[in-house]
Amino acid sequence: MRGFLIVVWAAAILICTCTASFNGLMANGEVSFHLNPAPNFSEFMARPPVEIAGGFLVQKFGHLFAFFIFTVLLQIKFQSKRAVFFLAAFYAVLTEFLQLYFTRDGRLFDVGIDAAGILLALGMGRIFMTHHLRDTNL
């Protein structure tokens, strides 16, 4: 069951990141994919926009939240924190890279936001396990 939840959450992340219009997905539930067979890979290194609007912050929080949950699910399934980190980080890079092929903006900056969610989940998992072990040893 744990593996199934990981696959479902990974699929949800993939759909949200690769659908042609994230706004269309959120507003109308519209999922559509437009393949770009020759993406501009230099966009991956592009800087974030100078003007930060509310929608931008909501999307970046979505990145953080999505990879936080993904990492929590991985931690429940796997014992190795290193394996969890590398699986989650690999998927973060993969989804951003795939966005370039689906007419979206895949950015290294977003991988950093994803990494923040990954590290937050790993840190909270460590704190939870420390308290859990302390409580069981009393």
Side-chain angles (χ1 to χ4, degrees):
M1 183 62 159
R2 295 176 203 161
F4 177 73
L5 289 175
I6 293 168
V7 170
V8 167
W9 193 257
I13 291 172
L14 188 65
I15 289 168
C16 288
T17 57
C18 291
T19 191
S21 170
F22 181 75
N23 292 334
L25 174 64
M26 291 295 106
N28 306 321
E30 178 182 311
V31 175
S32 64
F33 301 103
H34 301 278
L35 185 62
N36 177 7
N40 180 0
F41 293 110
S42 66
E43 289 180 12
F44 191 72
M45 302 304 284
R47 294 182 179 182
V50 176
E51 292 185 31
I52 298 176
F56 176 84
L57 294 176
V58 168
Q59 278 191 326
K60 299 315 156 198
F61 178 76
H63 277 263
L64 188 132
F65 178 76
F67 278 89
F68 176 86
I69 297 298
F70 186 61
T71 305
V72 167
L73 292 172
L74 289 172
Q75 287 182 92
I76 293 168
K77 176 75 174 168
F78 302 107
Q79 294 295 318
S80 170
K81 300 298 182 202
R82 183 178 298 218
V84 167
F85 174 78
F86 283 113
L87 282 169
F90 172 78
Y91 198 63
V93 172
L94 178 66
T95 56
E96 288 302 318
F97 187 74
L98 285 175
Q99 283 185 61
L100 297 170
Y101 285 94
F102 288 95
T103 66
R104 295 280 304 275
D105 295 330
R107 301 263 163 88
L108 187 60
F109 173 77
D110 287 340
V111 173
I113 302 293
D114 299 342
I118 293 165
L119 293 173
L120 183 63
L122 286 169
M124 290 181 73
R126 184 176 183 108
I127 291 168
F128 175 76
M129 287 306 296
T130 301
H131 287 289
H132 179 71
L133 290 173
R134 189 178 323 148
D135 290 345
T136 57
N137 289 333
L138 292 178

